[in-house]
Amino acid sequence: MQEMKPLKIHGYLSCNEIEKHLEGVEYIMMAAPSLITDELPIHFTIILNTADVIPEEIKPLILEKFCHEHAITATSHVLSNVERIAFAMTTQETPMPKHIVDDAEARTIPWTLLHIIDFLGDSERFKEAKDGLSGWTYSYN
């Protein structure tokens, strides 16, 4: 496996820039190597462009839909909740979403509330994540 350097963050979108940036975005899908288990080698984060509360009985159906569409074969450690998301400017074409967990960090950078589905899984379609790389893609409506 090739060693990759972390992306350098050049700054974050402001709250107004985040709002404009998310216009037309349906969801953002992120994939990274799992740090927990070899059986489920990919850490997935799906960021839905909504802060609406999703009923508990609907959450598993949304996850099932994404798993089917992306050939994700197994899941574990599922979090499905409205969370703080910031958008970092890097050398990549699109801003990198960042889940803000730490309250101190949330006080220092702009963020918005969005619904995330965060879980471990496996899929042959995400070979790069299995090889140690992280990435994200935007889906527009």
Side-chain angles (χ1 to χ4, degrees):
M1 174 173 27
Q2 164 183 332
E3 184 177 338
M4 299 300 291
K5 295 180 182 175
L7 287 174
K8 182 175 169 128
I9 295 174
H10 302 290
Y12 291 91
L13 296 182
S14 69
C15 290
N16 288 337
E17 290 170 324
I18 292 171
E19 186 177 333
K20 183 169 177 57
H21 173 68
L22 290 175
E23 289 176 5
V25 172
E26 184 177 8
Y27 66 88
I28 305 161
M29 184 166 209
M30 302 178 72
S34 169
L35 301 176
I36 298 176
T37 174
D38 290 333
E39 292 81 35
L40 298 173
I42 305 170
H43 176 191
F44 289 99
T45 304
I46 301 164
I47 303 167
L48 305 176
N49 189 8
T50 185
D52 293 345
V53 174
I54 296 174
E56 289 300 318
E57 62 272 11
I58 301 298
K59 289 178 181 181
L61 300 174
I62 294 171
L63 177 60
E64 184 179 315
K65 174 187 180 289
F66 276 98
C67 289
H68 177 73
E69 289 177 359
H70 298 285
I72 299 170
T73 57
T75 61
S76 178
H77 298 78
V78 178
L79 164 72
S80 183
N81 204 12
V82 175
E83 299 285 335
R84 299 176 290 210
I85 304 294
F87 289 87
M89 299 304 300
T90 67
T91 56
Q92 300 299 309
E93 185 178 322
T94 56
M96 177 182 70
K98 181 176 180 184
H99 181 192
I100 306 297
V101 179
D102 182 53
D103 290 335
E105 186 176 34
R107 289 188 290 273
T108 65
I109 60 176
W111 51 267
T112 191
L113 287 174
L114 295 172
H115 192 97
I116 71 165
I117 305 169
D118 194 74
F119 60 98
L120 299 180
D122 194 6
S123 176
E124 292 304 315
R125 293 187 186 169
F126 294 85
K127 182 180 179 326
E128 295 87 352
K130 289 182 178 185
D131 290 341
L133 300 176
S134 297
W136 61 91
T137 185
Y138 284 71
S139 177
Y140 297 90
N141 49 11

